[in-house]
Amino acid sequence: AIVPLMAQHHHPRAVEATTKYFLTQATAAAVILFASTTNAWTTGEWDMTNMSNPTATAMILAALALKIGLAPMHFWMPEVLQGLDLLTGLILSTWQKLAPLALIIQTAQAFDPLLLSALGLTSTLVGGWGGLNQTQLRKILAYSSIAHMGWMIIILQYAPQLTLLALLMYVLMTSAAFLTLKFSSATKINTLATIWSKSPMLTTTAALVLLSLGGLPPLTGFMPKWFILQELAKQGLPLTATVMALAALISLYFYLRLCYTMTLTISPNITTS
């Protein structure tokens, strides 16, 4: 159903993004089907909630990670998001995450804890590193999405309710960010420097939303990160918690860069000076 929305502009980029998206999602769906068949073949059970075949569970996790764009299966995400309109991009990075995440949460107990932790850590790190050098806002938001998904996955095995909390906060903040960009039709960092003269109030709130996405207290985006780190420490995983916190700092850098360009510079003299 989302394919016509993605291809509606008939731009070569949009069509390319649609094709990439369709191929990744179809691949993931086929792998899920294959894994559940394998599970049924070995155990005689079609029930998804208590899978016992390790091969099948690993394959299902890989397929669902591909669907929501967790690293190292994230490569389609920035490319696809970059080719789309901002509103379609909003649907892609919020609504389209719900179904795969629902499946992941339901089958979470069957997955290998090490695999989940590895996916979560690589996603937060890749989401941080990838966004550093970008100038395109949609790509930055795509990497931010990858990092947030990593936060959700890392805590899944210990406290699934925190995964839901992080998802809710992520959807709210990402929607706010995308709608702000849509309102000002900004797709590059340079465009952000000119928004303040047109709508100062929106610029102020947008800066707050970006800092919230980065996870700065006392903004709302800090809450899920705080709870997740606290839970990881409770579970006796200080090293994981530390790496996650440092990865959050990496991605904070590019949110700060957006904030800086948006609220602290006047149009011709942007970031470098």
Side-chain angles (χ1 to χ4, degrees):
I2 201 178
V3 165
L5 277 178
M6 295 168 103
Q8 68 184 337
H9 291 297
H10 301 299
H11 191 280
R13 282 230 174 142
V15 176
E16 182 188 344
T18 312
T19 315
K20 284 178 182 168
Y21 181 74
F22 177 74
L23 288 174
T24 50
Q25 298 297 316
T27 309
V31 173
I32 290 175
L33 185 62
F34 179 48
S36 51
T37 316
T38 311
N39 188 56
W41 185 42
T42 51
T43 62
E45 272 279 329
W46 280 99
D47 196 3
M48 205 168 168
T49 44
N50 51 6
M51 290 185 303
S52 50
N53 187 351
T55 322
T57 48
M59 274 165 58
I60 283 203
L61 183 57
L64 290 169
L66 174 64
K67 266 191 181 296
I68 59 171
L70 282 171
M73 286 78 101
H74 65 283
F75 293 100
W76 61 274
M77 180 96 192
E79 303 287 329
V80 168
L81 213 55
Q82 181 55 36
L84 301 180
D85 178 37
L86 284 164
L87 284 180
T88 321
L90 166 66
I91 297 174
L92 183 74
S93 44
T94 57
W95 192 251
Q96 292 296 92
K97 301 275 190 243
L98 298 184
L101 267 168
L103 288 178
I104 290 182
I105 290 171
Q106 279 173 36
T107 49
Q109 299 315 312
F111 297 141
D112 180 12
L114 192 65
L115 199 57
L116 281 172
S117 303
L119 278 172
L121 282 169
T122 45
S123 295
T124 38
L125 286 166
V126 162
W129 278 122
L132 288 185
N133 222 4
Q134 300 293 341
T135 55
Q136 299 284 351
L137 295 176
R138 284 166 294 185
K139 279 200 173 161
I140 286 182
L141 282 166
Y143 281 110
S144 132
S145 166
I146 293 167
H148 278 276
M149 290 293 144
W151 278 91
M152 285 172 222
I153 293 298
I154 196 91
I155 199 63
L156 180 64
Q157 48 194 333
Y158 307 114
Q161 65 274 19
L162 288 185
T163 300
L164 288 173
L165 176 74
L167 176 64
L168 182 68
M169 291 301 125
Y170 161 75
V171 167
L172 284 172
M173 296 182 297
T174 308
S175 307
F178 266 108
L179 291 171
T180 309
L181 297 179
K182 176 67 183 166
F183 179 77
S184 48
S185 24
T187 53
K188 286 194 181 67
I189 291 191
N190 298 353
T191 326
L192 290 180
T194 58
I195 296 177
W196 66 273
S197 53
K198 286 183 286 190
S199 42
M201 264 312 289
L202 190 70
T203 314
T204 316
T205 49
L208 287 175
V209 164
L210 284 168
L211 291 176
S212 184
L213 266 170
L216 283 187
L219 301 164
T220 329
F222 173 60
M223 178 184 58
K225 288 194 164 70
W226 178 30
F227 284 152
I228 288 173
L229 290 176
Q230 191 185 8
E231 183 62 34
L232 284 172
K234 253 189 221 160
Q235 297 286 348
L237 300 162
L239 191 64
T240 314
T242 310
V243 176
M244 292 297 283
L246 292 176
L249 283 182
I250 305 177
S251 47
L252 181 64
Y253 173 77
F254 57 80
Y255 297 120
L256 281 176
R257 206 169 100 210
L258 293 183
C259 271
Y260 176 71
T261 314
M262 211 170 191
T263 52
L264 297 174
T265 55
I266 293 175
S267 182
N269 324 330
I270 43 168
T271 31
T272 45
S273 61

